[in-house]
């Protein structure tokens, strides 16, 4: 509702800024009707240029550290150069916006030059048609490029604000159809600039004004936010009237919800009715209830509450509602000692526990099954038959039978007559003495120890010596007898193959048997075994003298 000329003229307020800050610090404390904390972005229009940027931290301190997240200013609409953004103060606002990612820069952009020159409707209609035909596209392309180059490509553009009224040259009523076409062209041109992220805010006046604002709505594809400027003035006498009137606050919320758009309140404040704390209180509650994307109060006289001293009661309400609640000092609760009342000890009667006898259950005897042990038959091991060599000479070799650690009993040695030598064409040999036959050793029972098996080799017969040594109980390995060099006159006897023993019992034969001990376990299986060596001196041996 306020005119930009009034906003631009507000720069004179900077001369009294220090006094206003001091005055604001002395205002009353917040009252009990405070708004609940929320994430709604809040700001205030403090001035269009650098002084407006500089006042933001002071307003924050005045509100007890309230985070001022919205910076709001206007482009001048007297010439196209201003609408293109060729003004130096944009750099100050861009610098403030870039300092914090959570901040929001809101920029009101006129749609026509000479925007407050009271241009008649017929002239406005011709300007609207020219814009719909694209004659002003270049101005808005330059503005978009300027904002992107300043690092504020996500600026909220409040384009052609309060278009349903009668104040501005960019008003809608002279030609609503072409006005909507003109809006769409501007949005398309600015969105075509690389790097842009603009949001376009469609913000009419509250109420019907010159035309119902829904008749100027350009369409969902060209609008991101549906806003509303709402000051304390007619139509409507009370705040409830402002809610329920045609095209009022409730219509605004319902229309935005139906089109799935966020809402905003780019301008609000006091106007025609002076200091009105009830309006401020109700407007803040309405904002908190409906959760707009952002809201900014117009803060200069007669609208404001911080830079305007003529609205002290409204100022008190505004400050009390928006100042963050600071927790008060913690008052310790006095500790009242609780008297200790002794608890009387009541003896617990001892009740004897009856002894219940445990029944004895006999354990059944399970017989153990007898598993018969299988008898393993003892295999019969045949006694190896050792052939008896035929000794052509009177020398009878004494076999070496190893019997470790076994005492040898003496067996009487039979006298063997010396046989007559056979006639030979050679020189007769001298008669050699008869050899003494070694006494065979009979086994003596002893402990079961393994005994070595006798070697099957039969010593080669040689010339008999006068004495034949008896077997020695030394190592079990067989000892080969040393060969005896025969006399030069006696030819060396040649061994003859062993003849099979006759089936009948030999006469005058001699036999030596040595028991074999396989140990206790194996002896049970094979029985007692022995190795026997037999020397036959019977008739067929050639040594039978009778």
């Amino acid at each position: 509702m306020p005119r930009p000329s009034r906003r631009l003229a507000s720069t004179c307020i900077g001369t009294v800024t220090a006094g206003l800050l001091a005055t604001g610090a002395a205002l009353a404390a917040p009252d009990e009707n405070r708004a609940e904390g929320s994430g709604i972005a809040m700001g205030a229009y403090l001035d269009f240029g650098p002084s407006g940027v500089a006042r933001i931290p002071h307003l924050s301190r005045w509100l007890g550290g309230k985070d001022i997240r919205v910076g709001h200013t206007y482009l001048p609409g007297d010439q196209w150069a201003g609408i293109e953004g060729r003004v130096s103060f944009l750099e100050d606002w861009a610098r403030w916006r870039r300092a914090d990612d959570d901040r929001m820069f809101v920029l009101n952009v006129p749609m026509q030059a000479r925007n407050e020159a009271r241009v008649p409707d017929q002239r406005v209609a011709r300007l609207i048609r020219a814009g719909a035909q694209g004659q002003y596209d270049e101005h808005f392309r330059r503005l978009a490029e300027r904002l992107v180059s300043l690092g504020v490509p996500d600026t909220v553009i409040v384009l052609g604000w309060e278009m349903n009224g009668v104040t501005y040259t960019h008003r809608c009523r002279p030609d609503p159809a072409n006005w909507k076409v003109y809006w769409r062209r501007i949005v398309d041109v600015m969105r075509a600039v690389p790097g842009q992220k603009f949001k376009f805010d469609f913000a009419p006046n509250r109420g019907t004004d010159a035309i119902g604002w829904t008749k100027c709505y350009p369409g969902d594809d060209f609008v991101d936010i549906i806003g509303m400027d709402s000051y304390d003035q007619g139509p409507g006498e009370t705040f409830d009237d402002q809610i329920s009137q045609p095209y009022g606050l409730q219509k605004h919320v319902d229309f935005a919800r139906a089109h799935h758009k966020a809402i905003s309140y780019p301008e609000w404040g006091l106007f025609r009715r002076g200091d009105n704390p009830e309006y401020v209180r109700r407007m803040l509650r309405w904002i908190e209830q409906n959760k707009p994307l952002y809201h900014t109060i117009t803060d200069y006289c007669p609208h404001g509450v911080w830079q305007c001293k003529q609205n002290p009661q409204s100022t008190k309400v505004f400050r009390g509602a928006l100042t963050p609640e600071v927790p008060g000092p913690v008052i310790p609760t006095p500790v009242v000692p609780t008297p200790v009342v002794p608890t009387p000890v009541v003896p617990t009667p001892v009740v004897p526990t009856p002894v219940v006898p445990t029944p004895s259950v006999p354990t059944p005897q399970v017989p153990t099954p007898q598993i018969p042990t299988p008898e393993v038959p003892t295999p019969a091991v045949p006694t190896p038959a050792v052939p008896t060599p035929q000794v052509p000479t009177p020398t009878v070799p004494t076999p070496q039978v190893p019997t470790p650690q076994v005492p040898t009993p003496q067996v009487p040695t039979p006298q063997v007559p010396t046989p007559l030598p056979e006639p030979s064409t050679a020189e007769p040999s001298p008669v050699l003495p008869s050899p003494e036959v070694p006494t065979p050793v009979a086994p003596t029972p002893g402990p079961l120890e393994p005994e070595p098996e006798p070697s099957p080799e039969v010593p080669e017969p040689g010339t008999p010596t006068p004495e034949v040594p008896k077997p020695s109980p030394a190592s079990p390995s067989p000892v080969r007898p040393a060969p005896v060099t025969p006399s030069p006159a006696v030819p060396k006897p040649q061994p003859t193959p062993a003849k099979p023993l006759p089936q009948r019992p030999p006469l005058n034969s001699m036999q030596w048997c040595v028991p074999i001990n396989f140990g206790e376990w194996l002896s049970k299986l094979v029985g007692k075994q022995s190795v026997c060596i037999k020397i036959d001196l019977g008739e067929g041996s050639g040594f039978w003298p009778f």
Side-chain angles (χ1 to χ4, degrees), residues 30-31 33 42-44 59 62-63 268 277 280-281 284 295 297 299 305-306 312-323:
D31 65 5
N33 296 318
M42 175 264 176
L59 175 62
W62 180 71
L63 290 174
W268 71 275
V280 174
R281 181 181 298 107
L284 288 175
H295 72 97
I297 187 171
D299 194 68
V305 292
W306 177 52
Q313 295 301 316
S314 298
T315 298
K316 180 179 179 181
V317 171
F318 182 87
R319 191 183 187 196
L322 294 179
T323 299

PDB file of all heavy atoms in Angstrom, residues 30-31 33 42-44 59 62-63 268 277 280-281 284 295 297 299 305-306 312-323:
ATOM      1  N   PRO A  30       8.924  -7.628  27.289  1.00  0.00           N
ATOM      2  CA  PRO A  30       7.885  -8.356  26.559  1.00  0.00           C
ATOM      3  C   PRO A  30       6.739  -8.754  27.468  1.00  0.00           C
ATOM      4  O   PRO A  30       6.919  -9.056  28.643  1.00  0.00           O
ATOM      5  CB  PRO A  30       8.627  -9.599  26.047  1.00  0.00           C
ATOM      6  CG  PRO A  30      10.068  -9.227  26.074  1.00  0.00           C
ATOM      7  CD  PRO A  30      10.235  -8.269  27.195  1.00  0.00           C
ATOM      8  N   ASP A  31       5.521  -8.717  26.897  1.00  0.00           N
ATOM      9  CA  ASP A  31       4.372  -9.121  27.699  1.00  0.00           C
ATOM     10  C   ASP A  31       4.167 -10.622  27.580  1.00  0.00           C
ATOM     11  O   ASP A  31       4.938 -11.337  26.942  1.00  0.00           O
ATOM     12  CB  ASP A  31       3.118  -8.346  27.284  1.00  0.00           C
ATOM     13  CG  ASP A  31       2.678  -8.678  25.863  1.00  0.00           C
ATOM     14  OD1 ASP A  31       3.298  -9.566  25.254  1.00  0.00           O
ATOM     15  OD2 ASP A  31       1.727  -8.042  25.377  1.00  0.00           O
ATOM     16  N   ASN A  33       1.845 -12.277  26.065  1.00  0.00           N
ATOM     17  CA  ASN A  33       1.263 -12.775  24.821  1.00  0.00           C
ATOM     18  C   ASN A  33       2.352 -12.873  23.750  1.00  0.00           C
ATOM     19  O   ASN A  33       2.428 -12.058  22.841  1.00  0.00           O
ATOM     20  CB  ASN A  33       0.139 -11.843  24.341  1.00  0.00           C
ATOM     21  CG  ASN A  33      -1.018 -11.812  25.309  1.00  0.00           C
ATOM     22  OD1 ASN A  33      -1.415 -12.857  25.821  1.00  0.00           O
ATOM     23  ND2 ASN A  33      -1.544 -10.626  25.588  1.00  0.00           N
ATOM     24  N   MET A  42      11.896 -14.173   9.368  1.00  0.00           N
ATOM     25  CA  MET A  42      11.334 -12.859   9.729  1.00  0.00           C
ATOM     26  C   MET A  42      12.308 -11.754   9.325  1.00  0.00           C
ATOM     27  O   MET A  42      13.533 -11.949   9.351  1.00  0.00           O
ATOM     28  CB  MET A  42      11.067 -12.815  11.241  1.00  0.00           C
ATOM     29  CG  MET A  42      10.589 -11.471  11.775  1.00  0.00           C
ATOM     30  SD  MET A  42      11.967 -10.499  12.427  1.00  0.00           S
ATOM     31  CE  MET A  42      11.110  -8.970  12.835  1.00  0.00           C
ATOM     32  N   GLY A  43      11.744 -10.600   8.908  1.00  0.00           N
ATOM     33  CA  GLY A  43      12.566  -9.454   8.561  1.00  0.00           C
ATOM     34  C   GLY A  43      11.765  -8.169   8.680  1.00  0.00           C
ATOM     35  O   GLY A  43      10.619  -8.162   9.147  1.00  0.00           O
ATOM     36  N   ALA A  44      12.385  -7.073   8.237  1.00  0.00           N
ATOM     37  CA  ALA A  44      11.716  -5.771   8.276  1.00  0.00           C
ATOM     38  C   ALA A  44      12.313  -4.904   7.179  1.00  0.00           C
ATOM     39  O   ALA A  44      13.521  -4.983   6.905  1.00  0.00           O
ATOM     40  CB  ALA A  44      11.888  -5.108   9.636  1.00  0.00           C
ATOM     41  N   LEU A  59      18.467  -4.063  14.915  1.00  0.00           N
ATOM     42  CA  LEU A  59      17.127  -4.591  15.170  1.00  0.00           C
ATOM     43  C   LEU A  59      17.202  -5.954  15.850  1.00  0.00           C
ATOM     44  O   LEU A  59      16.404  -6.249  16.759  1.00  0.00           O
ATOM     45  CB  LEU A  59      16.361  -4.702  13.843  1.00  0.00           C
ATOM     46  CG  LEU A  59      14.975  -5.348  13.914  1.00  0.00           C
ATOM     47  CD1 LEU A  59      14.040  -4.528  14.798  1.00  0.00           C
ATOM     48  CD2 LEU A  59      14.389  -5.524  12.503  1.00  0.00           C
ATOM     49  N   TRP A  62      17.910  -5.407  19.495  1.00  0.00           N
ATOM     50  CA  TRP A  62      16.727  -4.850  20.157  1.00  0.00           C
ATOM     51  C   TRP A  62      15.698  -5.943  20.462  1.00  0.00           C
ATOM     52  O   TRP A  62      14.978  -5.869  21.457  1.00  0.00           O
ATOM     53  CB  TRP A  62      16.121  -3.776  19.253  1.00  0.00           C
ATOM     54  CG  TRP A  62      14.891  -3.120  19.815  1.00  0.00           C
ATOM     55  CD1 TRP A  62      14.830  -2.248  20.866  1.00  0.00           C
ATOM     56  CD2 TRP A  62      13.550  -3.295  19.352  1.00  0.00           C
ATOM     57  NE1 TRP A  62      13.518  -1.857  21.092  1.00  0.00           N
ATOM     58  CE2 TRP A  62      12.716  -2.496  20.164  1.00  0.00           C
ATOM     59  CE3 TRP A  62      12.968  -4.035  18.335  1.00  0.00           C
ATOM     60  CZ2 TRP A  62      11.335  -2.419  19.990  1.00  0.00           C
ATOM     61  CZ3 TRP A  62      11.594  -3.948  18.156  1.00  0.00           C
ATOM     62  CH2 TRP A  62      10.789  -3.157  18.973  1.00  0.00           C
ATOM     63  N   LEU A  63      15.665  -6.949  19.623  1.00  0.00           N
ATOM     64  CA  LEU A  63      14.756  -8.076  19.834  1.00  0.00           C
ATOM     65  C   LEU A  63      15.410  -9.211  20.638  1.00  0.00           C
ATOM     66  O   LEU A  63      14.967 -10.358  20.579  1.00  0.00           O
ATOM     67  CB  LEU A  63      14.268  -8.609  18.488  1.00  0.00           C
ATOM     68  CG  LEU A  63      13.315  -7.700  17.715  1.00  0.00           C
ATOM     69  CD1 LEU A  63      13.016  -8.282  16.340  1.00  0.00           C
ATOM     70  CD2 LEU A  63      12.028  -7.497  18.495  1.00  0.00           C
ATOM     71  N   TRP A 268       3.460  -5.687   5.931  1.00  0.00           N
ATOM     72  CA  TRP A 268       2.354  -5.550   6.870  1.00  0.00           C
ATOM     73  C   TRP A 268       2.752  -4.525   7.919  1.00  0.00           C
ATOM     74  O   TRP A 268       3.934  -4.247   8.123  1.00  0.00           O
ATOM     75  CB  TRP A 268       1.960  -6.893   7.489  1.00  0.00           C
ATOM     76  CG  TRP A 268       2.937  -7.489   8.492  1.00  0.00           C
ATOM     77  CD1 TRP A 268       4.027  -8.252   8.218  1.00  0.00           C
ATOM     78  CD2 TRP A 268       2.876  -7.360   9.914  1.00  0.00           C
ATOM     79  NE1 TRP A 268       4.675  -8.612   9.374  1.00  0.00           N
ATOM     80  CE2 TRP A 268       3.979  -8.089  10.432  1.00  0.00           C
ATOM     81  CE3 TRP A 268       2.007  -6.716  10.793  1.00  0.00           C
ATOM     82  CZ2 TRP A 268       4.241  -8.181  11.794  1.00  0.00           C
ATOM     83  CZ3 TRP A 268       2.256  -6.810  12.162  1.00  0.00           C
ATOM     84  CH2 TRP A 268       3.362  -7.534  12.648  1.00  0.00           C
ATOM     85  N   PRO A 277      -2.207  -1.931  19.281  1.00  0.00           N
ATOM     86  CA  PRO A 277      -1.535  -3.154  19.722  1.00  0.00           C
ATOM     87  C   PRO A 277      -2.347  -4.422  19.445  1.00  0.00           C
ATOM     88  O   PRO A 277      -1.773  -5.503  19.245  1.00  0.00           O
ATOM     89  CB  PRO A 277      -1.323  -2.934  21.218  1.00  0.00           C
ATOM     90  CG  PRO A 277      -2.325  -1.888  21.606  1.00  0.00           C
ATOM     91  CD  PRO A 277      -2.508  -1.022  20.397  1.00  0.00           C
ATOM     92  N   VAL A 280      -1.512  -5.683  15.997  1.00  0.00           N
ATOM     93  CA  VAL A 280      -0.179  -6.295  15.961  1.00  0.00           C
ATOM     94  C   VAL A 280      -0.221  -7.681  16.592  1.00  0.00           C
ATOM     95  O   VAL A 280       0.341  -8.653  16.063  1.00  0.00           O
ATOM     96  CB  VAL A 280       0.856  -5.397  16.664  1.00  0.00           C
ATOM     97  CG1 VAL A 280       2.199  -6.096  16.751  1.00  0.00           C
ATOM     98  CG2 VAL A 280       0.992  -4.062  15.939  1.00  0.00           C
ATOM     99  N   ARG A 281      -0.898  -7.788  17.747  1.00  0.00           N
ATOM    100  CA  ARG A 281      -0.990  -9.082  18.429  1.00  0.00           C
ATOM    101  C   ARG A 281      -1.697 -10.114  17.552  1.00  0.00           C
ATOM    102  O   ARG A 281      -1.221 -11.246  17.401  1.00  0.00           O
ATOM    103  CB  ARG A 281      -1.718  -8.899  19.757  1.00  0.00           C
ATOM    104  CG  ARG A 281      -1.840 -10.185  20.566  1.00  0.00           C
ATOM    105  CD  ARG A 281      -2.593  -9.957  21.862  1.00  0.00           C
ATOM    106  NE  ARG A 281      -1.899  -9.016  22.742  1.00  0.00           N
ATOM    107  CZ  ARG A 281      -2.289  -7.778  22.981  1.00  0.00           C
ATOM    108  NH1 ARG A 281      -3.391  -7.297  22.392  1.00  0.00           N
ATOM    109  NH2 ARG A 281      -1.617  -7.006  23.805  1.00  0.00           N
ATOM    110  N   LEU A 284       0.422 -11.177  14.403  1.00  0.00           N
ATOM    111  CA  LEU A 284       1.512 -12.104  14.733  1.00  0.00           C
ATOM    112  C   LEU A 284       0.972 -13.509  15.016  1.00  0.00           C
ATOM    113  O   LEU A 284       1.599 -14.507  14.648  1.00  0.00           O
ATOM    114  CB  LEU A 284       2.301 -11.568  15.932  1.00  0.00           C
ATOM    115  CG  LEU A 284       3.184 -10.342  15.653  1.00  0.00           C
ATOM    116  CD1 LEU A 284       3.804  -9.830  16.944  1.00  0.00           C
ATOM    117  CD2 LEU A 284       4.275 -10.683  14.633  1.00  0.00           C
ATOM    118  N   HIS A 295       7.932 -13.273   6.438  1.00  0.00           N
ATOM    119  CA  HIS A 295       7.126 -12.054   6.614  1.00  0.00           C
ATOM    120  C   HIS A 295       8.068 -10.917   6.989  1.00  0.00           C
ATOM    121  O   HIS A 295       9.087 -11.126   7.663  1.00  0.00           O
ATOM    122  CB  HIS A 295       6.036 -12.240   7.687  1.00  0.00           C
ATOM    123  CG  HIS A 295       6.549 -12.305   9.089  1.00  0.00           C
ATOM    124  ND1 HIS A 295       6.564 -11.204   9.936  1.00  0.00           N
ATOM    125  CD2 HIS A 295       7.076 -13.339   9.798  1.00  0.00           C
ATOM    126  CE1 HIS A 295       7.062 -11.563  11.109  1.00  0.00           C
ATOM    127  NE2 HIS A 295       7.379 -12.854  11.058  1.00  0.00           N
ATOM    128  N   ILE A 297       7.802  -6.751   8.315  1.00  0.00           N
ATOM    129  CA  ILE A 297       7.023  -5.577   8.704  1.00  0.00           C
ATOM    130  C   ILE A 297       7.661  -4.336   8.076  1.00  0.00           C
ATOM    131  O   ILE A 297       8.893  -4.247   7.953  1.00  0.00           O
ATOM    132  CB  ILE A 297       6.945  -5.452  10.241  1.00  0.00           C
ATOM    133  CG1 ILE A 297       5.995  -4.316  10.632  1.00  0.00           C
ATOM    134  CG2 ILE A 297       8.322  -5.244  10.843  1.00  0.00           C
ATOM    135  CD1 ILE A 297       5.694  -4.287  12.143  1.00  0.00           C
ATOM    136  N   ASP A 299       8.916  -0.951   8.524  1.00  0.00           N
ATOM    137  CA  ASP A 299       9.283  -0.303   9.782  1.00  0.00           C
ATOM    138  C   ASP A 299       9.761   1.138   9.570  1.00  0.00           C
ATOM    139  O   ASP A 299      10.938   1.449   9.699  1.00  0.00           O
ATOM    140  CB  ASP A 299      10.358  -1.120  10.506  1.00  0.00           C
ATOM    141  CG  ASP A 299      10.507  -0.679  11.950  1.00  0.00           C
ATOM    142  OD1 ASP A 299       9.561  -0.902  12.723  1.00  0.00           O
ATOM    143  OD2 ASP A 299      11.561  -0.098  12.276  1.00  0.00           O
ATOM    144  N   VAL A 305       7.343  -0.119  14.230  1.00  0.00           N
ATOM    145  CA  VAL A 305       7.319  -0.314  15.685  1.00  0.00           C
ATOM    146  C   VAL A 305       8.705  -0.148  16.296  1.00  0.00           C
ATOM    147  O   VAL A 305       8.820  -0.086  17.523  1.00  0.00           O
ATOM    148  CB  VAL A 305       6.784  -1.736  16.028  1.00  0.00           C
ATOM    149  CG1 VAL A 305       5.314  -1.850  15.681  1.00  0.00           C
ATOM    150  CG2 VAL A 305       7.593  -2.828  15.334  1.00  0.00           C
ATOM    151  N   TRP A 306       9.723  -0.093  15.490  1.00  0.00           N
ATOM    152  CA  TRP A 306      11.081   0.082  16.043  1.00  0.00           C
ATOM    153  C   TRP A 306      11.624   1.466  15.723  1.00  0.00           C
ATOM    154  O   TRP A 306      12.095   2.182  16.614  1.00  0.00           O
ATOM    155  CB  TRP A 306      12.016  -1.014  15.478  1.00  0.00           C
ATOM    156  CG  TRP A 306      13.455  -0.883  15.927  1.00  0.00           C
ATOM    157  CD1 TRP A 306      13.882  -0.766  17.213  1.00  0.00           C
ATOM    158  CD2 TRP A 306      14.610  -0.805  15.104  1.00  0.00           C
ATOM    159  NE1 TRP A 306      15.261  -0.637  17.265  1.00  0.00           N
ATOM    160  CE2 TRP A 306      15.729  -0.669  15.957  1.00  0.00           C
ATOM    161  CE3 TRP A 306      14.826  -0.850  13.726  1.00  0.00           C
ATOM    162  CZ2 TRP A 306      17.042  -0.569  15.489  1.00  0.00           C
ATOM    163  CZ3 TRP A 306      16.138  -0.773  13.259  1.00  0.00           C
ATOM    164  CH2 TRP A 306      17.231  -0.622  14.121  1.00  0.00           C
ATOM    165  N   PRO A 312       3.930   3.338  20.706  1.00  0.00           N
ATOM    166  CA  PRO A 312       4.606   2.634  21.807  1.00  0.00           C
ATOM    167  C   PRO A 312       3.912   1.351  22.254  1.00  0.00           C
ATOM    168  O   PRO A 312       4.589   0.362  22.586  1.00  0.00           O
ATOM    169  CB  PRO A 312       4.632   3.675  22.933  1.00  0.00           C
ATOM    170  CG  PRO A 312       3.520   4.615  22.616  1.00  0.00           C
ATOM    171  CD  PRO A 312       3.429   4.667  21.129  1.00  0.00           C
ATOM    172  N   GLN A 313       2.576   1.332  22.265  1.00  0.00           N
ATOM    173  CA  GLN A 313       1.899   0.118  22.725  1.00  0.00           C
ATOM    174  C   GLN A 313       2.072  -1.026  21.706  1.00  0.00           C
ATOM    175  O   GLN A 313       2.293  -2.181  22.093  1.00  0.00           O
ATOM    176  CB  GLN A 313       0.402   0.403  22.944  1.00  0.00           C
ATOM    177  CG  GLN A 313       0.132   1.399  24.050  1.00  0.00           C
ATOM    178  CD  GLN A 313       0.696   0.901  25.387  1.00  0.00           C
ATOM    179  OE1 GLN A 313       0.547  -0.270  25.731  1.00  0.00           O
ATOM    180  NE2 GLN A 313       1.317   1.798  26.126  1.00  0.00           N
ATOM    181  N   SER A 314       1.969  -0.676  20.455  1.00  0.00           N
ATOM    182  CA  SER A 314       2.196  -1.700  19.424  1.00  0.00           C
ATOM    183  C   SER A 314       3.648  -2.190  19.456  1.00  0.00           C
ATOM    184  O   SER A 314       3.928  -3.377  19.238  1.00  0.00           O
ATOM    185  CB  SER A 314       1.863  -1.132  18.043  1.00  0.00           C
ATOM    186  OG  SER A 314       0.494  -0.770  17.958  1.00  0.00           O
ATOM    187  N   THR A 315       4.567  -1.261  19.740  1.00  0.00           N
ATOM    188  CA  THR A 315       5.984  -1.629  19.844  1.00  0.00           C
ATOM    189  C   THR A 315       6.194  -2.643  20.964  1.00  0.00           C
ATOM    190  O   THR A 315       6.928  -3.629  20.813  1.00  0.00           O
ATOM    191  CB  THR A 315       6.840  -0.380  20.089  1.00  0.00           C
ATOM    192  OG1 THR A 315       6.707   0.503  18.984  1.00  0.00           O
ATOM    193  CG2 THR A 315       8.290  -0.739  20.292  1.00  0.00           C
ATOM    194  N   LYS A 316       5.543  -2.420  22.100  1.00  0.00           N
ATOM    195  CA  LYS A 316       5.682  -3.320  23.232  1.00  0.00           C
ATOM    196  C   LYS A 316       5.192  -4.734  22.889  1.00  0.00           C
ATOM    197  O   LYS A 316       5.827  -5.741  23.226  1.00  0.00           O
ATOM    198  CB  LYS A 316       4.905  -2.763  24.419  1.00  0.00           C
ATOM    199  CG  LYS A 316       4.979  -3.606  25.674  1.00  0.00           C
ATOM    200  CD  LYS A 316       4.197  -2.943  26.804  1.00  0.00           C
ATOM    201  CE  LYS A 316       4.229  -3.782  28.063  1.00  0.00           C
ATOM    202  NZ  LYS A 316       3.448  -3.161  29.167  1.00  0.00           N
ATOM    203  N   VAL A 317       4.042  -4.783  22.202  1.00  0.00           N
ATOM    204  CA  VAL A 317       3.507  -6.090  21.821  1.00  0.00           C
ATOM    205  C   VAL A 317       4.439  -6.797  20.828  1.00  0.00           C
ATOM    206  O   VAL A 317       4.739  -7.987  20.968  1.00  0.00           O
ATOM    207  CB  VAL A 317       2.101  -5.930  21.223  1.00  0.00           C
ATOM    208  CG1 VAL A 317       1.620  -7.243  20.626  1.00  0.00           C
ATOM    209  CG2 VAL A 317       1.126  -5.443  22.283  1.00  0.00           C
ATOM    210  N   PHE A 318       4.891  -6.052  19.836  1.00  0.00           N
ATOM    211  CA  PHE A 318       5.763  -6.649  18.814  1.00  0.00           C
ATOM    212  C   PHE A 318       7.044  -7.188  19.441  1.00  0.00           C
ATOM    213  O   PHE A 318       7.462  -8.323  19.179  1.00  0.00           O
ATOM    214  CB  PHE A 318       6.073  -5.584  17.765  1.00  0.00           C
ATOM    215  CG  PHE A 318       6.922  -6.085  16.621  1.00  0.00           C
ATOM    216  CD1 PHE A 318       6.342  -6.682  15.507  1.00  0.00           C
ATOM    217  CD2 PHE A 318       8.303  -5.954  16.648  1.00  0.00           C
ATOM    218  CE1 PHE A 318       7.114  -7.135  14.460  1.00  0.00           C
ATOM    219  CE2 PHE A 318       9.090  -6.404  15.601  1.00  0.00           C
ATOM    220  CZ  PHE A 318       8.492  -7.004  14.492  1.00  0.00           C
ATOM    221  N   ARG A 319       7.665  -6.387  20.274  1.00  0.00           N
ATOM    222  CA  ARG A 319       8.937  -6.809  20.885  1.00  0.00           C
ATOM    223  C   ARG A 319       8.724  -7.982  21.837  1.00  0.00           C
ATOM    224  O   ARG A 319       9.531  -8.923  21.875  1.00  0.00           O
ATOM    225  CB  ARG A 319       9.556  -5.630  21.623  1.00  0.00           C
ATOM    226  CG  ARG A 319      10.981  -5.900  22.058  1.00  0.00           C
ATOM    227  CD  ARG A 319      11.521  -4.724  22.845  1.00  0.00           C
ATOM    228  NE  ARG A 319      12.936  -4.875  23.129  1.00  0.00           N
ATOM    229  CZ  ARG A 319      13.598  -4.168  24.035  1.00  0.00           C
ATOM    230  NH1 ARG A 319      12.934  -3.240  24.743  1.00  0.00           N
ATOM    231  NH2 ARG A 319      14.874  -4.371  24.245  1.00  0.00           N
ATOM    232  N   GLY A 320       7.644  -7.936  22.590  1.00  0.00           N
ATOM    233  CA  GLY A 320       7.401  -9.029  23.526  1.00  0.00           C
ATOM    234  C   GLY A 320       7.123 -10.348  22.834  1.00  0.00           C
ATOM    235  O   GLY A 320       7.478 -11.413  23.334  1.00  0.00           O
ATOM    236  N   ALA A 321       6.483 -10.281  21.658  1.00  0.00           N
ATOM    237  CA  ALA A 321       6.135 -11.512  20.955  1.00  0.00           C
ATOM    238  C   ALA A 321       7.320 -12.133  20.239  1.00  0.00           C
ATOM    239  O   ALA A 321       7.401 -13.360  20.109  1.00  0.00           O
ATOM    240  CB  ALA A 321       5.017 -11.236  19.959  1.00  0.00           C
ATOM    241  N   LEU A 322       8.265 -11.317  19.763  1.00  0.00           N
ATOM    242  CA  LEU A 322       9.342 -11.834  18.918  1.00  0.00           C
ATOM    243  C   LEU A 322      10.690 -11.971  19.623  1.00  0.00           C
ATOM    244  O   LEU A 322      11.609 -12.569  19.073  1.00  0.00           O
ATOM    245  CB  LEU A 322       9.513 -10.939  17.692  1.00  0.00           C
ATOM    246  CG  LEU A 322       8.327 -10.939  16.710  1.00  0.00           C
ATOM    247  CD1 LEU A 322       8.591 -10.008  15.547  1.00  0.00           C
ATOM    248  CD2 LEU A 322       8.056 -12.345  16.201  1.00  0.00           C
ATOM    249  N   THR A 323      10.823 -11.404  20.818  1.00  0.00           N
ATOM    250  CA  THR A 323      12.081 -11.561  21.539  1.00  0.00           C
ATOM    251  C   THR A 323      12.200 -12.997  22.025  1.00  0.00           C
ATOM    252  O   THR A 323      11.274 -13.508  22.670  1.00  0.00           O
ATOM    253  CB  THR A 323      12.155 -10.598  22.742  1.00  0.00           C
ATOM    254  OG1 THR A 323      12.077  -9.252  22.261  1.00  0.00           O
ATOM    255  CG2 THR A 323      13.445 -10.791  23.529  1.00  0.00           C
TER     256      THR A 323
END
